[in-house]
Amino acid sequence: MDVRIEESWKQRLQPEFEKDYFKALTSFVKSEYEQQQVFPPGKLIFNAFELCPFNKAKVVIIGQDPYHGPEQAHGLCFSVNDDVKFPPSLMNIFKEIKSDIGTETPQSGNLTRWAEQGVLLLNATLTVRAHQAGSHQRRGWEEFTDAAIRVLAEENEHIVFILWGSYAQRKGAFIDRNKHLVLSSAHPSPLSAYNGFFGNKHFSKANEYLKAHGKEEIIW
């Protein structure tokens, strides 16, 4: 199956595209886009991979589901398009960055600038029906994104994996802690941010690790 995805990822994920689950997923997603309002726009489903090629990935942040409101999702977890109001989790992420390293809250919630520096902003599920959170879960996306995380972790060393909340932590449970830095805490959602997200200092810790291993730090 020919999937339009960034070439370095395509080479490594090609075996997934030939599996039955991915063919069923493709059929389901196509029918959803034809019959429903689905986010993100079809051309941005694999945006996280497009903006962060395999060999440039230095940090991985794992989300769960795309935003399901109009104009929000554009294929990067926690990120929203320019001129879109910050969702609560993203606002809390910016609060923690300011507390951790002093960077002021930006004008835009568009995290493309992180992706282009080597931050893979990967949701576990890459599509969602409008206003229906979780509507495309358990259709095959999770298996596909597991494969992407696995190949990245196995073929590289010294990547920072940031796992916020129990869902992301379960998804990243197999990552070799001897080869990579795994940072875990509560989720930045207002429901849990005060239970360990605030004060986790993941942004400075990530940069310290990257610097220690000869990699350029992220401008958060």
Side-chain angles (χ1 to χ4, degrees), residues 51-53 56 76 111-119 121 218:
L51 294 173
C52 184
K56 291 188 176 180
L76 306 178
L111 303 182
T112 295
R113 61 189 183 277
W114 292 5
E116 290 174 341
Q117 294 178 76
V119 182
L121 294 161
I218 305 297

Side-chain angles (χ1 to χ4, degrees), residues 113-215:
R113 61 189 183 277
W114 292 5
E116 290 174 341
Q117 294 178 76
V119 182
L120 182 66
L121 294 161
L122 186 64
N123 276 316
T125 303
L126 299 187
T127 55
V128 69
R129 194 182 288 186
H131 311 300
Q132 295 184 40
S135 50
H136 286 188
Q137 290 178 3
R138 293 177 292 280
R139 292 286 187 166
W141 278 131
E142 295 90 342
E143 191 170 344
F144 173 73
T145 52
D146 279 351
I149 295 165
R150 191 176 299 278
V151 71
L152 191 63
E154 288 177 353
E155 290 194 22
N156 291 280
E157 291 184 333
H158 310 313
I159 289 176
V160 181
F161 289 88
I162 295 179
L163 312 178
W164 293 327
S166 58
Y167 183 92
Q169 288 158 26
R170 288 194 300 272
K171 196 167 181 70
F174 65 84
I175 296 164
D176 186 345
R177 269 67 172 169
N178 295 314
K179 286 176 63 179
H180 306 286
L181 176 65
V182 178
L183 299 173
S184 301
S185 79
H187 194 276
S189 161
L191 299 174
S192 56
Y194 287 97
N195 294 330
F197 175 77
F198 288 132
N200 66 21
K201 298 191 180 299
H202 281 180
F203 304 96
S204 60
K205 288 176 181 176
N207 276 350
E208 288 164 9
Y209 182 83
L210 293 174
K211 188 175 181 181
H213 291 92
K215 297 186 180 185

